[in-house]
């Protein structure tokens, strides 16, 4: 049994996000009138898989809460405060996958545990495996993924002083990027 486990892990490949070609974004409504978009500029993601179609992939992501960027410095500072992310006490947002279920060719349901604002909750997101190609510059195999979905900010205790009429309850998540085989 030990030999079988060792041989399976031998075939697993690790892929790391290419920072220059990856992004982690979000949208939330403000007063029901507009959408505020933002991103986390400092994050790392890893995919581990043994199958070429990534159907057995495990995903992990860590984002630094201090790297939040909505394009408005004063708003970003407020989002880092205890009113929202409390970055001083909750330096990271993490996601670790627990399962991957194929929906159709290249499309999956990605389930996992998200830790945000000190709260860990299960979330399910949509994953699109966009394919793999050799990067013409680095000559390394590169895979593309897009993850979309939403979470409820109240599930994680984010912005509890702000009612849904002021700040939307649903936060849309968009992660898109290239991953380089290590």
């Amino acid at each position: 049994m030990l030999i079988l486990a060792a041989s399976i892990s031998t075939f697993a490949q690790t892929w790391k996000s290419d920072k220059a070609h990856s992004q982690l974004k979000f949208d939330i409504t403000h007063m029901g009138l507009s959408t505020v978009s933002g991103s986390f500029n400092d994050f790392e993601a890893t995919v581990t898989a043994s199958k070429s179609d990534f159907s057995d992939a495990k995903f992990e992501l860590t984002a630094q809460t201090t790297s939040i960027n909505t394009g408005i410095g004063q708003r970003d500072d407020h989002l880092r405060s205890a009113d929202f992310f409390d970055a001083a006490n909750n330096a990271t947002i993490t996601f670790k996958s627990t399962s991957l279920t194929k929906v159709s060719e290249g499309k999956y349901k990605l389930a996992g545990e998200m830790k945000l604002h000190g709260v860990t909750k299960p979330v399910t997101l949509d994953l699109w495996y966009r394919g793999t190609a050799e990067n013409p510059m680095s000559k390394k195999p590169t895979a593309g993924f897009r993850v979309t979905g939403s979470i409820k900010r109240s599930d994680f205790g984010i912005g509890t002083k702000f009612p849904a009429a002021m700040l939307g309850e649903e936060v849309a998540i968009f992660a898109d990027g290239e991953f380089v085989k290590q």
Side-chain angles (χ1 to χ4, degrees):
M1 187 66 147
L2 183 59
I3 293 170
L4 178 61
S7 67
I8 290 171
S9 65
T10 301
F11 295 112
Q13 300 291 321
T14 300
W15 302 69
K16 294 205 180 264
S17 57
D18 175 355
K19 291 184 183 202
H21 300 102
S22 299
Q23 52 191 342
L24 179 57
K25 296 181 164 189
F26 64 90
D27 284 346
I28 190 166
T29 58
H30 182 256
M31 295 178 42
L33 301 173
S34 66
T35 299
V36 174
S37 299
S39 62
F40 291 92
N41 296 334
D42 186 2
F43 68 92
E44 292 185 9
T46 304
V47 179
T48 305
S50 60
K51 296 183 179 180
S52 63
D53 68 352
F54 291 89
S55 60
D56 66 340
K58 301 285 185 195
F59 291 81
E60 291 189 34
L61 173 124
T62 301
Q64 303 301 314
T65 54
T66 56
S67 74
I68 196 165
N69 180 5
T70 64
I72 307 292
Q74 186 176 6
R75 177 173 47 217
D76 296 344
D77 289 342
H78 190 204
L79 289 170
R80 290 181 194 106
S81 78
D83 282 349
F84 291 97
F85 289 97
D86 193 13
N89 294 307
N90 299 288
T92 61
I93 298 167
T94 60
F95 175 83
K96 184 178 262 192
S97 68
T98 55
S99 70
L100 189 64
T101 305
K102 189 171 188 170
V103 175
S104 62
E105 193 62 35
K107 304 285 176 104
Y108 300 88
K109 288 291 182 184
L110 176 64
E113 297 286 325
M114 181 177 285
K115 184 175 182 184
L116 173 60
H117 197 243
V119 177
T120 303
K121 294 274 186 182
V123 297
T124 301
L125 305 165
D126 295 315
L127 172 77
W128 175 24
Y129 165 53
R130 299 174 79 158
T132 302
E134 180 180 296
N135 182 310
M137 299 298 284
S138 69
K139 305 295 184 206
K140 292 185 177 183
T142 303
F145 298 94
R146 180 165 177 83
V147 176
T148 58
S150 67
I151 59 170
K152 290 185 178 183
R153 66 181 174 90
S154 63
D155 286 350
F156 296 92
I158 302 284
T160 57
K161 296 179 183 177
F162 302 91
M166 176 68 144
L167 188 60
E169 176 63 17
E170 294 288 323
V171 180
I173 299 169
F174 312 93
D176 202 354
E178 296 177 10
F179 287 72
V180 180
K181 186 176 182 181
Q182 301 302 293

